[in-house]
Amino acid sequence: MKVLLSADAIAARVRTLGAQIARDHRARAGEDEELVLVCVLKGAFVFAADLARALDVPLRVEFLGVQSYGEATASSGDVRLTLDLGHSIAGKHVLLVEDIVDTGLTLSYLLGMLRARGPASLTTCALLDKPSRRRVEGGADHVGFAIGDVFVVGYGLDHAGLYRNLPYIGVLEA
Ligand code: PRP
């Protein structure tokens, strides 16, 4: 496995992202206001766990399950919700956390769905971004690393269900 992003490089970037997001949240909402971190399963579970610990704000954590159907290696935009939030986000400040934005179809679907629920604010953060693959406009507000069009695994990301437990992000070699 070729290492693209080491565990140390990821940890340093996550700390920086956490500090930026916490600062922006305080500026937007005030010192004591809660932030609701919404982790998109499954891929974001490792990133969300580390990012949560880098966010020095009053934090709640919620999970969303999504599955996309269609093409095998890229989402089709036909996104289905498999697990919904446990609590209402109306009037709450929400941070949506994804592992990767590829075509952008999943993020776009989730933004539409969550906006309709009336959050006070909705901010997005993705560890990885593949801008060359985008099929809809837009990306996450906060991005850990922009990468090229390579198939990455580890740190939550899988291939056929495996490799999510790797502590680094690697490129699968043929
Ligand atoms: C991945 C990732 C995003 C989506 C991004 O999920 O976690 O949700 O694909 O792709 P897009 O920008 O092209 O929509 P995946 O379908 O691999 O499910 P998983 O997180 O459960 O592994």
Side-chain angles (χ1 to χ4, degrees):
M1 181 83 62
K2 183 174 161 244
V3 178
L4 183 68
L5 298 165
S6 69
D8 285 349
I10 297 168
R13 188 73 186 112
V14 171
R15 275 194 296 274
T16 304
L17 282 172
Q20 281 172 353
I21 293 167
R23 190 192 57 214
D24 290 358
H25 171 71
R26 283 188 215 105
R28 183 186 301 115
E31 277 301 315
D32 305 323
E33 195 67 32
E34 292 178 0
L35 181 65
V36 182
L37 185 163
V38 174
C39 169
V40 183
L41 297 172
K42 295 178 182 170
F45 82 106
V46 177
F47 175 46
D50 284 344
L51 185 64
R53 285 173 284 182
L55 284 165
D56 184 18
V57 299
L59 193 82
R60 293 181 188 273
V61 179
E62 293 283 337
F63 297 92
L64 269 183
V66 291
Q67 228 171 358
S68 46
Y69 291 86
E71 303 154 53
T73 56
S75 66
S76 58
D78 182 9
V79 181
R80 186 186 296 174
L81 207 62
T82 56
L83 174 71
D84 205 345
L85 303 175
H87 297 90
S88 166
I89 54 163
K92 304 276 189 187
H93 294 276
V94 174
L95 175 68
L96 181 66
V97 176
E98 266 286 22
D99 52 341
I100 187 165
V101 179
D102 188 339
T103 63
L105 290 164
T106 304
L107 184 68
S108 162
Y109 167 84
L110 290 175
L111 279 174
M113 187 193 80
L114 294 177
R115 273 195 196 115
R117 298 181 183 192
S121 70
L122 180 55
T123 306
T124 56
C125 179
L127 179 67
L128 303 175
D129 187 19
K130 277 187 188 176
S132 64
R133 304 249 311 162
R134 199 72 90 251
R135 282 168 55 188
V136 289
E137 271 209 34
D141 301 313
H142 299 270
V143 171
F145 303 92
I147 62 172
D149 188 9
V150 286
F151 195 90
V152 285
V153 295
Y155 199 72
L157 292 100
D158 75 308
H159 176 250
L162 295 175
Y163 305 109
R164 294 193 198 273
N165 55 323
L166 292 179
Y168 57 87
I169 289 173
V171 178
L172 260 194
E173 284 153 327

